[in-house]
Amino acid sequence: MPSKNEAKKTANVVRVSGKKGAAKKAVKAKATAVKQRKERFSVQFHRPYTLRTRPAPKCPHRTTPVVRKNDHFSIIRCPLTTECAMKKIEDTNTLVFLVDIRANKSQIKDAMQKLYNIKATKVNTLIRPDGKKKAMVRLDMNHDALEVANKIGILL
């Protein structure tokens, strides 16, 4: 669709010339210059995919790669000595520990074996509202939780 200024120019050309043939030529010349709009079939505009290259730095950001400690000392943080934990020790032969947030149940079980020489039958975990992970470790029937708690130093 031609703009307002183009329409005014063609009208002025028609007035000045006064000839019918010249007016037809002026209108025809402008009519061919109208650009077709691209049809859009969806309401949203989706950005086209472009080439994304990986950064290739000249030197590394760190001189040595960071290796996360994953030994049994860093997995088990400390035992819990709350009333609920004491009740679990007495009733269900279970010890309660705070553990690393990224540790899984099998790692906790292995760490118990390495640190305290205890075979754990079952490990239940939960993440507390303060963001720390709590592990309830059920001991084998051969081990008594009260004796192990005394050995660790939970009960005095």
Side-chain angles (χ1 to χ4, degrees):
M1 183 167 191
S3 65
K4 281 186 177 180
N5 291 337
E6 291 179 68
K8 285 182 182 178
K9 287 179 185 175
T10 54
N12 287 338
V13 170
V14 171
R15 273 192 225 126
V16 171
S17 64
K19 296 181 183 175
K20 293 180 182 177
K24 283 183 182 177
K25 284 181 185 176
V27 172
K28 273 190 179 179
K30 295 295 177 180
T32 56
V34 175
K35 185 180 175 186
Q36 281 278 332
R37 285 185 181 235
K38 182 181 176 185
E39 290 183 21
R40 300 203 181 268
F41 299 106
S42 66
V43 180
Q44 290 89 7
F45 173 76
H46 295 286
R47 183 184 57 79
Y49 290 105
T50 56
L51 180 66
R52 294 181 184 176
T53 56
R54 300 284 299 174
K58 300 289 184 206
C59 61
H61 290 290
R62 291 180 182 266
T63 54
T64 57
V66 176
V67 179
R68 183 171 71 93
K69 267 191 181 178
N70 203 12
D71 59 340
H72 48 276
F73 295 110
S74 65
I75 287 175
I76 294 180
R77 297 271 165 85
C78 62
L80 273 183
T81 57
T82 59
E83 286 182 31
C84 182
M86 293 301 145
K87 190 167 190 225
K88 283 185 185 294
I89 289 173
E90 294 166 2
D91 296 343
T92 60
N93 203 31
T94 303
L95 294 173
V96 183
F97 292 94
L98 285 181
V99 295
D100 184 25
I101 193 79
R102 294 168 295 209
N104 57 28
K105 293 180 181 185
S106 60
Q107 288 173 339
I108 295 168
K109 201 182 267 192
D110 294 340
M112 289 296 295
Q113 177 66 37
K114 286 180 184 175
L115 282 177
Y116 305 117
N117 297 325
I118 300 169
K119 186 177 179 190
T121 57
K122 188 176 183 181
V123 176
N124 289 335
T125 59
L126 63 88
I127 296 177
R128 303 191 320 180
D130 62 352
K132 296 176 182 174
K133 187 181 257 191
K134 182 163 79 170
M136 281 83 65
V137 182
R138 179 101 185 242
L139 301 184
D140 194 17
M141 297 308 289
N142 300 335
H143 303 288
D144 185 32
L146 276 169
E147 291 176 13
V148 175
N150 282 328
K151 189 175 100 177
I152 293 171
I154 297 174
L155 299 175
L156 298 173

